[in-house]
Amino acid sequence: MDATPNVLVTRAVPGVLDVPGASVRVLGEAMPDRRAVLDAMPGVDVLVSMFTDRVDDELLDAAGGTLRGVCQYAVGTDNIDLDACTRRGVVVCNTPDAVTEGTADLAWALLLAVTRRVVEADAYARSAAYPANGPLGMGDFLGADLTGRTLLIVGAGRIGRAVALRSIGWGMRVLYTARSRKWDMELAPLAARRVELDEGLAMADVVSLHTPLTPQTRHLIDARRLGLMKPGAILINTARGPVVDEVALADALRDGTIWGAGLDVFEREPVIHPGLLQARNVVLTPHIGSAERRYREMMTAMVADNARAILDGHEPPNRVA
Ligand code: NAP
């Protein structure tokens, strides 16, 4: 019998996913359907999963008892039934840190795009209307400014802090929420203040979401909380779609309850609520938070290290369960 351990990767990733001594099978470039993943599971020792894979009892059982670890190619693990893994003695790992800077950059890209109406202006610059109408008037395409404004970080962990650090260039006042107190937020250079969520929402000009998706954070931002925000406020979501009630957000944008939003994640990806697709004051990206070559190659290397450790019976560096 071949004793070479099997690593199954559900979708191609950038860089080299090399696990010495193991056979690595990549299912394909495109997102595999559920059936293809289930059919490939028998005899797998380590599964490398994407956030789009539902890792549940059915998938774990499909391995037929050989599975030792799930290495998630993401930091969020909301697609994985951690209890089901633990019950079977299956170790779960993720890729923290590697995604931090890229996702923080994207949060700022969305924020600047919303405040300065970049997407709308780009469409206008390409249109026949620009040469036809001539140079803009001084009152056209006016945006919002960020200097000295108040930024609320909801979920001040790795990415939340990286987003806050980028605000120093605009002299922003930083507020934060988290389950525990964060000294690295409160000390220099951020000197941020911890607030209750409702209190912070009422004070902030920019609200940026960075919690994981958990039962406690599902629809954390709902109609009531959107109603607490300032009419000029901007909501940025690079966390997970269901942290925001999309129907309530579409209503809030249409009614002018808040000024704008920048969204990288959605409740039912890849489907986006029509009210958000139609809104002028929203910038949308298709879940590209960590989509930067160097960071993705780091994620690949992390996944390989975790898989190797699991196969060697060692404690993996990025274990979450
Ligand atoms: P992290 O370091 O674990 O930070 C998460 C923060 O959320 C922690 O400060 C935690 O507080 C806080 N938190 C948890 N539950 C909360 C609650 N109920 N209310 C308020 N705060 C709560 O995670 P990270 O590396 O920054 O990543 C954050 C999330 O970003 C991931 O889980 C993932 O879903 C998302 N993400 C998205 C993309 C993308 O492509 N758009 C890329 C990477 C990550 P405590 O520390 O006190 O527990």
Side-chain angles (χ1 to χ4, degrees), residues 75-76 78 99-100 103 155-160 177-180 182 210-214 216-217 220 238-240 264-265 287-290:
V75 68
D78 47 277
V99 300
T100 300
T103 310
R158 288 171 291 248
I159 299 171
T177 72
R179 289 177 302 186
S180 54
K182 304 293 180 195
H210 303 290
T211 63
L213 174 61
T214 64
Q216 292 72 37
T217 62
L220 188 69
T238 58
R240 282 289 182 264
D264 184 45
V265 287
H287 204 144
I288 59 167
S290 65

Side-chain angles (χ1 to χ4, degrees), residues 2 8 32 44 46 50 61 95 103 111 126 133 135 143 151 156 234-235 253 258 262 265 291 297 310-311 313 317:
D2 184 6
L8 177 69
V44 166
V46 172
M50 309 294 133
D61 286 342
T95 58
T103 310
L111 177 56
R126 293 167 195 270
N133 296 342
L151 167 66
I234 293 167
L235 179 72
L253 289 161
I258 66 171
V265 287
E297 287 174 357
I310 291 167
L311 292 173

Side-chain angles (χ1 to χ4, degrees), residues 16 34 63 104 153 158 194 226 237 246 305:
V16 183
R34 172 83 174 171
I153 299 291
R158 288 171 291 248
R194 190 177 180 200
L226 287 162
N237 188 8
E246 256 177 28
D305 285 351

Side-chain angles (χ1 to χ4, degrees), residues 86-310:
T86 303
R87 278 198 303 276
R88 289 167 176 79
V90 171
V91 170
V92 181
C93 301
N94 67 348
T95 58
D97 303 318
V99 300
T100 300
E101 304 301 333
T103 310
D105 285 348
L106 186 75
W108 270 89
L110 289 169
L111 177 56
L112 290 170
V114 175
T115 53
R116 299 305 310 275
R117 302 169 60 179
V118 171
V119 175
E120 209 185 326
D122 176 274
Y124 184 78
R126 293 167 195 270
S127 75
Y130 185 32
N133 296 342
L136 294 180
M138 291 304 115
D140 292 330
F141 277 100
L142 296 182
D145 79 290
L146 293 170
T147 301
R149 303 281 184 193
T150 298
L151 167 66
L152 171 65
I153 299 291
V154 179
R158 288 171 291 248
I159 299 171
R161 181 165 187 271
V163 169
L165 284 170
R166 284 158 173 72
S167 76
I168 291 171
W170 282 265
M172 294 179 86
R173 175 183 178 217
V174 180
L175 309 174
Y176 79 94
T177 72
R179 289 177 302 186
S180 54
R181 199 162 172 189
K182 304 293 180 195
W183 299 109
D184 59 1
M185 292 291 291
E186 296 191 24
L187 294 167
L190 290 171
R193 183 159 81 80
R194 190 177 180 200
V195 290
E196 291 300 325
L197 179 56
D198 286 3
E199 176 195 6
L201 288 171
M203 295 166 74
D205 300 293
V206 177
V207 176
S208 195
L209 306 179
H210 303 290
T211 63
L213 174 61
T214 64
Q216 292 72 37
T217 62
R218 185 172 292 274
H219 284 193
L220 188 69
I221 304 299
D222 57 9
R224 183 187 72 79
R225 290 204 161 114
L226 287 162
L228 297 175
M229 291 172 67
K230 294 180 182 178
I234 293 167
L235 179 72
I236 303 295
N237 188 8
T238 58
R240 282 289 182 264
V243 175
V244 177
D245 178 342
E246 256 177 28
V247 174
L249 177 60
D251 289 347
L253 289 161
R254 190 197 55 226
D255 299 344
T257 307
I258 66 171
W259 194 75
L263 309 170
D264 184 45
V265 287
F266 307 94
E267 279 204 79
R268 279 171 291 279
E269 292 172 20
V271 176
I272 301 179
H273 187 280
L276 298 176
L277 291 172
Q278 284 152 17
R280 183 193 56 77
N281 44 346
V282 180
V283 176
L284 309 169
T285 49
H287 204 144
I288 59 167
S290 65
E292 191 279 338
R293 176 159 300 281
R294 195 156 60 102
Y295 302 137
R296 285 268 165 96
E297 287 174 357
M298 285 182 191
M299 292 165 72
T300 302
M302 266 186 187
V303 159
D305 285 351
N306 285 312
R308 188 63 265 164
I310 291 167

Side-chain angles (χ1 to χ4, degrees), residues 43-65:
V44 166
D45 294 275
V46 172
L47 172 71
V48 177
S49 56
M50 309 294 133
F51 73 86
T52 42
D53 297 310
R54 199 173 70 252
V55 180
D56 55 8
D57 284 314
E58 183 189 31
L59 192 81
L60 296 167
D61 286 342

